[in-house]
């Protein structure tokens, strides 16, 4: 599903964020990415959906070599990847419904399907009664659920979630985790960076620990392993 | 691209204009104000141009004949001049007629001075008044007429005059005025373009989030660009229609209210339609180009992700 071969990332200012990562993630896996702040977790994830490009090395997503891909083809690879952010990144002027439908319009899905599928995912995240609300009228947890709905609406093979519960209270965080588990259960690979010890230690999954840009631990059904 | 998608781009483009209310307002008013100033100047410079053309048209050549020239020679000269390519109008002014015109021109002051000059005492010469098609060629045409004397003895033409010196001066001034007008209009157009594209850049900068999200969900660049393209065109059209309407109305009013005075001042405005078409065409054209160009350029920056 996702494979990295000796991937390095040095930012233009000289920061070495990632220094030689080798990794394989299979379809339908759920992977936590943990590690101290500034370790390179976000950089590692951004390279998967090509917001950042590696300075060196190869990345394969769904069989495509991202480094060899023509720029024209990038959008089509991205359609296999759903991204969820700590700060939700919803469009403030669009309603809940529009925010989600937007992701389907962007890939030119047929109109009928857009309506059907959008309502379907809204139902899945439990926000069917909020279709006409604006993001500012929602709680943090509700906004994150809209973001998740947007990420899954195009049926991506992988979901990349960078601290999806980072801005949420514990109870809401558990709700979001249930949702992600459900999505994973339905067949979507999930890679999630997190600082939430309790979640990692309770919902046991594969854990990858990154420190100073390298993988220092890769553990099936692992634990969080830090005391922060 | 399917019909559905094209429709969607137009809808989105239109919706964005409404959704980004304040930014739309800022862009449209910056376009409108810049184009209004440009339009005012354009009208001014078109009229100055028109005026200088009017003045140039008044340039004419006077051909005075010797007193002893007989009818036959006179007719020969007349048809020789008539045959020249640059001549637009040729009138014969006999010395009797010349005296009548002179009296008219001098009015009361000349009454005593011109008394008793009729008939045999008429000191004037028979003459032709020649109007030329291309006033700037007047010197050459005058020379050609003068050359009709060559090889003839006695020479039938006494003098050819066209205001030598004065006419050259006039042309120099009118072309300076025209060039200054052209230069100012070009400067204003550039400034307007800069101002407008800057405003549009700001409106799009405020939306890089939207563009980024579209990119992340896998929208193609073309798909993202289209609505902005249409939005830019709409901003350009709205922004230019306002000043075009204002200028058209203003010019119409001006022409209607000032016609009385103009005959006194010897100033005539350029006809309404001759102003409206080029001004509307240019302003709407610039508005469209700038709207589209500004938004396309600005979006491109965010498409690189
Ligand atoms: N755009 C950038 N330009 C320069 N340096 C950057 C950039 N983004 C990140 N960095 C640096 O790269 C290193 C890794 O950052 P990254 O965001 O990947 O860490 P992280 O593990 O996600 O941290 P956190 O847990 O705080 O989110 C840090 O030293 C950071 O300052
Ligand atoms: Mg991070």
């Amino acid at each position: 599903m996702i494979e990295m071969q000796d991937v390095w990332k040095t930012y233009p200012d000289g920061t070495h964020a990632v220094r030689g990562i080798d990794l394989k993630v299979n379809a339908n896996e759920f992977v936590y990415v943990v590690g101290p702040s500034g370790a390179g977790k976000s950089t590692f994830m951004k390279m998967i959906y090509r917001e950042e490009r590696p300075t060196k090395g190869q990345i394969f997503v769904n069989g495509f070599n991202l480094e060899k891909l023509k720029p024209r083809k990038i959008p089509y690879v991205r359609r296999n990847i759903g991204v969820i952010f700590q700060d939700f990144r919803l469009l403030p002027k669009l309603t809940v419904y529009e925010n989600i439908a937007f992701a389907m319009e962007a890939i030119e899905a047929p109109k009928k399907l857009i309506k059907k599928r959008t309502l379907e995912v809204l139902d899945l995240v439990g926000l069917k009664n909020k279709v006409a609300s604006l993001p500012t009228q929602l709680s943090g947890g509700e906004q994150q659920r809209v973001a998740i709905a947007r990420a899954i609406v195009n049926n991506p093979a992988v979901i990349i979630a960078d601290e999806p519960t980072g801005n949420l209270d514990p109870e809401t965080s558990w709700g979001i985790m249930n949702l992600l588990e459900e999505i994973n259960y339905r067949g979507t690979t999930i890679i999630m960076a997190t600082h939430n010890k309790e979640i990692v230690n309770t919902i046991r999954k594969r854990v990858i620990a990154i420190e100073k840009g390298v993988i220092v631990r890769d553990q099936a059904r692992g634990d969080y392993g830090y005391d922060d | 691209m399917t019909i559905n998608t094209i429709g969607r781009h137009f809808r989105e483009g239109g919706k964005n204009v409404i959704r980004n209310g304040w930014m739309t307002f800022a862009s449209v008013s910056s376009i409108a104000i810049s184009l209004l100033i440009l339009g005012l100047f354009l009208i001014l410079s078109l009229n100055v141009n028109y005026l200088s053309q009017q003045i140039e048209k008044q340039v004419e050549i006077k051909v005075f004949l010797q007193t002893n020239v007989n009818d036959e020679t006179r007719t020969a000269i007349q048809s020789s001049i008539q045959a020249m390519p640059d001549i637009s109008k040729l009138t014969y002014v006999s010395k009797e007629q010349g005296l009548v015109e002179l009296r008219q021109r001098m009015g009361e002051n000349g009454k005593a001075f011109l008394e008793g000059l009729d008939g045999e005492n008429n000191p004037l010469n028979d003459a032709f008044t020649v109007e030329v098609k291309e006033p700037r060629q007047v010197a050459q045409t005058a020379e050609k007429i003068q050359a009709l004397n060559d090889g003839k003895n006695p020479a039938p033409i006494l003098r050819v005059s066209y205001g030598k010196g004065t006419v050259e001066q006039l042309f120099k001034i009118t072309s300076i005025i025209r060039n200054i007008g052209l230069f100012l209009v070009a400067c204003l157009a550039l400034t307007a373009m800069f101002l407008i594209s800057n405003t549009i850049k700001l409106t799009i900068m405020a939306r890089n989030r939207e563009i980024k999200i579209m990119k992340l969900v896998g929208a193609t660049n073309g798909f993202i660009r289209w609505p902005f393209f249409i939005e830019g065109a709409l901003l350009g059209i709205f922004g230019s229609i306002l000043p075009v309407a204002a200028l058209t109305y203003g010019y119409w009013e001006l022409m209607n209210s000032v016609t009385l005075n103009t005959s006194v001042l010897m100033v005539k405005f350029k006809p309404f339609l001759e102003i409206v078409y080029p001004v509307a065409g240019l302003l709407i054209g610039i508005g469209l180009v700038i709207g589209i160009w500004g938004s396309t350029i600005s979006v491109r920056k965010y498409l690189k992700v």
Side-chain angles (χ1 to χ4, degrees):
Chain A
M1 182 81 254
I2 291 168
E3 191 175 346
M4 289 199 176
Q5 295 174 356
D6 192 28
V7 168
W8 295 66
K9 174 68 185 183
T10 305
Y11 282 107
D13 67 356
T15 312
H16 300 288
V18 168
R19 328 160 175 244
I21 286 188
D22 283 286
L23 177 75
K24 228 178 188 164
V25 175
N26 293 318
N28 213 6
E29 272 196 279
F30 194 127
V31 182
Y32 291 118
V33 181
V34 301
S37 186
K41 302 182 294 295
S42 294
T43 306
F44 158 79
M45 312 247 284
K46 281 177 184 168
M47 286 190 291
I48 298 173
Y49 60 89
R50 213 170 180 269
E51 183 174 337
E52 295 291 349
R53 300 186 64 178
T55 325
K56 188 183 155 213
Q58 310 285 328
I59 301 172
F60 298 86
V61 174
N62 229 359
F64 294 101
N65 184 337
L66 290 192
E67 288 318 293
K68 297 229 169 94
L69 210 62
K70 293 201 179 79
R72 216 159 33 80
K73 294 265 165 72
I74 299 294
Y76 303 96
V77 174
R78 284 203 175 126
R79 292 175 190 189
N80 287 312
I81 307 170
V83 188
I84 302 167
F85 304 92
Q86 182 175 0
D87 58 358
F88 323 136
R89 301 209 192 161
L90 301 173
L91 295 174
K93 285 180 188 157
L94 302 190
T95 65
V96 166
Y97 179 89
E98 287 167 337
N99 258 290
I100 298 165
F102 176 77
M104 288 188 85
E105 280 171 15
I107 65 164
E108 297 174 59
K111 225 174 172 171
K112 262 197 189 147
L113 187 63
I114 293 180
K115 186 158 185 205
K116 181 168 164 280
R117 175 74 184 149
T118 302
L119 292 175
E120 201 176 291
V121 292
L122 270 171
D123 197 24
L124 181 68
V125 300
L127 285 177
K128 227 176 174 175
N129 55 335
K130 299 277 186 186
V131 279
S133 307
L134 290 172
T136 46
Q137 298 166 329
L138 301 179
S139 72
E142 287 168 333
Q143 288 187 52
Q144 190 59 299
R145 280 189 277 161
V146 176
I148 292 172
R150 182 181 64 194
I152 61 172
V153 75
N154 288 327
N155 285 313
V158 194
I159 285 202
I160 308 287
D162 196 352
E163 301 189 39
T165 61
N167 276 341
L168 305 174
D169 59 70
E171 200 179 327
T172 318
S173 298
W174 288 112
I176 296 297
M177 285 316 294
N178 285 338
L179 194 52
L180 289 177
E181 266 202 291
E182 164 82 19
I183 291 162
N184 176 239
Y185 178 74
R186 292 175 181 219
T188 307
T189 310
I190 293 183
I191 299 179
M192 169 178 157
T194 184
H195 284 287
N196 193 318
K197 182 178 183 176
E198 230 168 294
I199 286 176
V200 177
N201 288 342
T202 307
I203 306 173
R204 294 274 175 167
K205 303 286 181 189
R206 179 179 173 187
V207 174
I208 293 169
I210 296 180
E211 287 177 25
K212 291 181 178 147
V214 294
I215 294 180
V216 293
R217 175 161 60 102
D218 186 348
Q219 212 179 1
R221 294 185 59 78
D223 55 16
Y224 186 67
Y226 298 95
D227 289 327
D228 52 6
Chain B
M1 206 164 23
T2 63
I3 296 280
N4 228 334
T5 311
I6 295 172
R8 184 255 175 205
H9 291 326
F10 274 90
R11 264 198 318 282
E12 275 305 302
K15 258 198 235 162
N16 282 341
V17 168
I18 298 165
R19 232 183 243 145
N20 303 291
W22 277 107
M23 281 307 197
T24 298
F25 179 75
S27 305
V28 168
S29 36
S30 116
I31 294 176
I33 290 170
S34 315
L35 292 184
L36 184 71
I37 295 171
L38 178 65
L40 274 174
F41 226 87
L42 194 66
I43 290 180
L44 192 69
S45 117
L46 281 173
N47 268 297
V48 168
N49 229 338
Y50 184 69
L51 182 67
S52 69
Q53 267 169 15
Q54 295 298 107
I55 294 172
E56 283 181 7
K57 264 201 197 123
Q58 285 168 19
V59 169
E60 55 183 27
I61 304 173
K62 282 260 180 197
V63 182
F64 296 100
L65 301 176
Q66 296 282 12
T67 37
N68 55 1
V69 167
N70 60 24
D71 284 359
E72 195 184 330
T73 319
R74 201 189 71 215
T75 324
I77 290 176
Q78 182 161 9
S79 45
S80 300
I81 295 176
Q82 193 82 68
M84 290 177 182
D86 191 38
I87 308 300
S88 67
K89 198 171 159 205
L90 175 63
T91 29
Y92 173 62
V93 186
S94 67
K95 56 182 178 187
E96 291 77 22
Q97 206 180 331
L99 190 64
V100 172
E101 281 176 15
L102 195 60
R103 283 200 168 118
Q104 249 167 24
R105 261 211 304 274
M106 293 186 73
E108 284 299 316
N109 304 329
K111 219 165 193 172
F113 180 65
L114 296 170
E115 219 170 69
L117 295 181
D118 297 278
E120 285 299 303
N121 296 330
N122 190 336
L124 300 177
N125 300 64
D126 292 329
F128 293 111
T129 304
V130 182
E131 284 173 28
V132 294
K133 287 183 195 143
E134 189 45 71
R136 280 164 191 269
Q137 301 295 323
V138 70
Q140 282 94 311
T141 309
E143 257 168 51
K144 271 199 265 172
I145 295 173
Q146 182 73 55
L148 293 175
N149 266 348
D150 295 352
K152 294 199 182 91
N153 203 359
I157 296 174
L158 170 68
R159 194 156 53 84
V160 177
S161 84
Y162 64 94
K164 197 176 178 140
T166 323
V167 168
E168 279 82 0
Q169 202 75 35
L170 173 70
F171 288 152
K172 215 184 265 166
I173 292 169
T174 54
S175 53
I176 288 173
I177 290 174
R178 269 178 219 180
N179 287 336
I180 289 177
L182 203 69
F183 176 74
L184 285 177
V185 166
C187 283
L188 270 173
L190 279 179
T191 317
M193 283 177 107
F194 178 76
L195 239 171
I196 295 164
S197 63
N198 233 27
T199 316
I200 292 178
K201 216 183 277 170
L202 283 178
T203 71
I204 287 178
M205 218 147 71
R207 281 150 67 191
N208 65 350
R209 237 175 128 83
E210 190 178 331
I211 297 173
K212 209 163 180 184
I213 291 169
M214 288 180 89
K215 289 233 60 161
L216 286 187
V217 299
T220 59
N221 286 346
F223 185 88
I224 297 172
R225 216 181 275 130
W226 266 102
F228 283 100
F229 182 88
I230 288 159
E231 185 181 349
L234 287 175
L235 293 181
I237 290 172
F238 290 149
S240 52
I241 277 181
L242 293 172
V244 165
L247 291 171
T248 306
Y249 176 73
Y251 197 67
W252 179 254
E253 285 293 310
L254 181 79
M255 286 190 75
N256 284 341
S257 61
V258 194
T259 31
L260 267 181
N261 305 332
T262 54
S263 55
V264 178
L265 289 166
M266 294 266 299
V267 177
K268 245 167 64 189
F269 285 109
K270 199 171 170 73
F272 184 68
L273 285 182
E274 280 177 42
I275 284 290
V276 171
Y277 286 139
V279 169
L282 195 79
L283 295 196
I284 293 176
I286 291 183
L288 257 179
V289 167
I290 293 175
I292 291 171
W293 178 71
S295 54
T296 313
I297 293 276
S298 315
V299 175
R300 197 163 60 186
K301 205 171 117 201
Y302 299 108
L303 290 181
K304 290 198 185 113
V305 183

